[in-house]
Amino acid sequence: MNTLSDKELKQLFKNKQIEIEDNGFTKNVMKHIPHRKDYNNWIIGISASIGILIVIFSGAFKVLMEQIFSFVTFIAKVQLPTLESTFVYLLALSALGGIFYFSRSLNN
């Protein structure tokens, strides 16, 4: 019986570089593998919806809109907006961007 060491095996494969033709084998195998459902996007979407409903019904939505209006008014008057209104504005933009991103990922 002829046994080869690891170094000899590496050298053998390094010198030969033989490629085995696929002939569509990989595609056929991938067709038969069941696709896994990804529930993460649904969980995030439901959590975001619950958070939006809490904001709307808790009265925080009114405060949020006042801060955004304040920010836009300061910008329209070419004045430096308050730190609070800037923070709220950026937070609202981030939330809208997140909702847009996750709604797109749910459709894919």
Side-chain angles (χ1 to χ4, degrees), residues 18-86:
I18 299 173
E19 288 193 32
I20 300 171
E21 293 200 26
D22 191 353
N23 295 331
F25 176 76
T26 304
K27 284 185 181 179
N28 288 333
V29 169
M30 293 306 289
K31 283 181 190 175
H32 294 359
I33 294 176
H35 293 286
R36 187 178 73 113
K37 298 260 184 189
D38 188 16
Y39 294 106
N40 291 339
N41 292 333
W42 282 100
I43 292 170
I44 292 170
I46 290 171
S47 300
S49 300
I50 291 171
I52 290 170
L53 290 174
I54 289 171
V55 166
I56 290 172
F57 290 116
S58 70
F61 185 71
K62 182 179 177 184
V63 174
L64 176 72
M65 293 310 294
E66 288 172 357
Q67 290 298 323
I68 291 174
F69 181 74
S70 169
F71 179 83
V72 172
T73 304
F74 276 113
I75 296 297
K77 293 179 180 178
V78 191
Q79 296 176 348
L80 188 62
T82 63
L83 184 61
E84 182 182 20
S85 63
T86 304

Side-chain angles (χ1 to χ4, degrees), residues 95-106:
L96 289 175
I99 291 168
F100 177 73
Y101 173 78
F102 288 115
S103 68
R104 288 191 62 198
S105 64
L106 285 176

